[in-house]
Amino acid sequence: MQIDGAGRQQRGHVLLIAGDAAVRRRAVQVAPSANLAALGVLPAAALLNSQVPADTTYLDGARDPNTVLMRLRTAAATPGPLLVYLSGRLTLDRRGHRLHLALAGTTASTVRYTALPWDWLGTELGARPTGPTAVVLDLVADKSAWPVLQEYGTLPAPPSAEVYGVVVPPAFAGGPQQVSAYTRQWIDQLRRSPTRPANLQLHAFAVGAAALPPGTLVLPATRELSATAQQVPQEQVPDPRPHIHALASGGRHQEAATLAQAWEQHVLQTHGYTSPEATHWAEIRADLARMAGNYRSATQLWINAGHTRLEHQPPDAPEVLAAAAGALYCWTQLKDQAEARDAGPELVRLLRALPSLEPRLLRLTQQRLDVLEGSRS
């Protein structure tokens, strides 16, 4: 039995809320009921990342915002861990200029009476007694709400909770009625991972693998990831590199690159631009570019990594030599003469800075560059 600071038995709660479906041109953009049904097969322990006893509440098809409020208030009063999941259509009360989660039957003229005011979420969760709080969002903004989100640059969220999710823009065409990509990736990761990843990593994996529509609002934004990550115990963080490599090996190069770039940005803000961790993630992106056949980008990334490592490591360090080898290989794969000619001088400069490098490699590189330079005249 786990006891909280007030001497009460810890008990968790999972609250799954399905708002109104979002439909565009008769195509479903998000089907909240399908999302709840898919999440419902997962044990509460997996959703909460906790082994304490827990209750699960499904709220699907509600038409009265006060009903949702009462469920939310009950869940917020739980002394243990809490997960609140919301899926549906985000809309706007045009008179009061307030964001709402549309409920079943909500129309543009009835938002004030039939939809859940978004700020109620923050009010109720802000009064939580104890226990970690996570909010997961899979939403679509309609045409009235989207300009407000663009103005804010984000979706106002409870400051006392971890908030992860996506808000898809209204122009998204939608597809068949099924579990939406972001929620499906959360579920897949929870099923597939031998140990439960931290919420931050589940979110990063889901964003990287979901092939989200252009312009999707991602929460938290990249600039907020470092602050969020500092709250996650290190032992709860699984290494994302095997997952990224698996995506690339399976031909899902764009998803792998997007996920790697997100992690690189997080590392840059956490450890700094010249840190070994940041350089390592630049090298990961270089190798992903190589796997995708983008040798121009791979060459430049490896060259930059080599120069950065030289600023902090001796020229005969294995990491420096590996970066140079990666740059040289990718440069030899460039078929476009202009691209090879542009990258050549920086590559030569890198190789010249490595006394332990086999001289023949530098000589052959310089000879090829001379030929390329000569072909331009």
Side-chain angles (χ1 to χ4, degrees), residues 49 76 123 178 186 198 291 298 316 362:
N49 195 18
T123 300
Q178 59 183 1
W186 266 78
M291 294 175 71
D316 59 349
L362 175 59

Side-chain angles (χ1 to χ4, degrees), residues 211-266:
L212 298 169
T216 296
L217 181 65
V218 177
L219 305 167
T222 303
R223 63 179 179 273
E224 299 167 313
L225 280 174
S226 60
T228 306
Q230 291 170 5
Q231 303 169 10
V232 179
Q234 186 62 36
E235 61 270 17
Q236 294 184 19
V237 182
D239 187 350
R241 291 172 294 181
H243 178 71
I244 293 172
H245 187 268
L247 288 173
S249 298
R252 298 163 67 179
H253 298 294
Q254 186 57 52
E255 296 174 28
T258 300
L259 184 54
Q261 189 169 24
W263 275 97
E264 183 187 25
Q265 289 300 315
H266 160 58

Side-chain angles (χ1 to χ4, degrees), residues 306 309-310 314-327 351 354-358:
R309 286 200 176 277
L310 275 174
D316 59 349
E319 296 85 355
V320 175
L321 295 175
L351 299 182
L354 309 178
S356 62
L357 187 74
E358 183 181 348

Side-chain angles (χ1 to χ4, degrees), residues 186-233:
W186 266 78
I187 295 170
D188 287 349
Q189 288 300 322
L190 285 172
R191 285 174 171 168
R192 168 187 311 156
S193 302
T195 57
R196 204 275 196 187
N199 289 335
L200 172 64
Q201 284 193 288
L202 285 172
H203 170 68
F205 286 148
V207 169
L212 298 169
T216 296
L217 181 65
V218 177
L219 305 167
T222 303
R223 63 179 179 273
E224 299 167 313
L225 280 174
S226 60
T228 306
Q230 291 170 5
Q231 303 169 10
V232 179

Side-chain angles (χ1 to χ4, degrees), residues 162-375:
E162 295 180 43
V163 180
Y164 305 100
V166 294
V167 185
V168 174
F172 174 46
Q177 184 167 342
Q178 59 183 1
V179 180
S180 56
Y182 178 77
T183 295
R184 186 172 63 252
Q185 291 300 328
W186 266 78
I187 295 170
D188 287 349
Q189 288 300 322
L190 285 172
R191 285 174 171 168
R192 168 187 311 156
S193 302
T195 57
R196 204 275 196 187
N199 289 335
L200 172 64
Q201 284 193 288
L202 285 172
H203 170 68
F205 286 148
V207 169
L212 298 169
T216 296
L217 181 65
V218 177
L219 305 167
T222 303
R223 63 179 179 273
E224 299 167 313
L225 280 174
S226 60
T228 306
Q230 291 170 5
Q231 303 169 10
V232 179
Q234 186 62 36
E235 61 270 17
Q236 294 184 19
V237 182
D239 187 350
R241 291 172 294 181
H243 178 71
I244 293 172
H245 187 268
L247 288 173
S249 298
R252 298 163 67 179
H253 298 294
Q254 186 57 52
E255 296 174 28
T258 300
L259 184 54
Q261 189 169 24
W263 275 97
E264 183 187 25
Q265 289 300 315
H266 160 58
V267 168
L268 289 174
Q269 296 183 24
T270 304
H271 299 282
Y273 280 75
T274 60
S275 66
E277 294 86 354
T279 304
H280 176 61
W281 275 97
E283 292 168 342
I284 290 174
R285 289 206 300 119
D287 204 44
L288 291 175
R290 175 193 63 79
M291 294 175 71
N294 185 356
Y295 292 109
R296 178 181 183 181
S297 178
T299 300
Q300 193 59 58
L301 285 167
W302 277 121
I303 290 174
N304 293 344
H307 284 309
T308 301
R309 286 200 176 277
L310 275 174
E311 295 175 2
H312 305 281
Q313 295 178 265
D316 59 349
E319 296 85 355
V320 175
L321 295 175
L328 180 57
Y329 170 77
C330 293
W331 185 69
T332 63
Q333 301 305 303
L334 288 173
K335 305 305 180 186
D336 185 282
Q337 291 191 357
E339 291 179 357
R341 184 168 53 241
D342 290 344
E346 277 296 297
L347 176 61
V348 169
R349 187 166 73 88
L350 173 62
L351 299 182
R352 287 188 185 281
L354 309 178
S356 62
L357 187 74
E358 183 181 348
R360 184 177 63 88
L361 295 178
L362 175 59
R363 184 172 65 253
L364 292 175
T365 302
Q366 185 64 64
Q367 287 175 356
R368 184 190 182 205
L369 180 59
D370 290 343
V371 171
L372 291 168
E373 292 284 357
S375 67

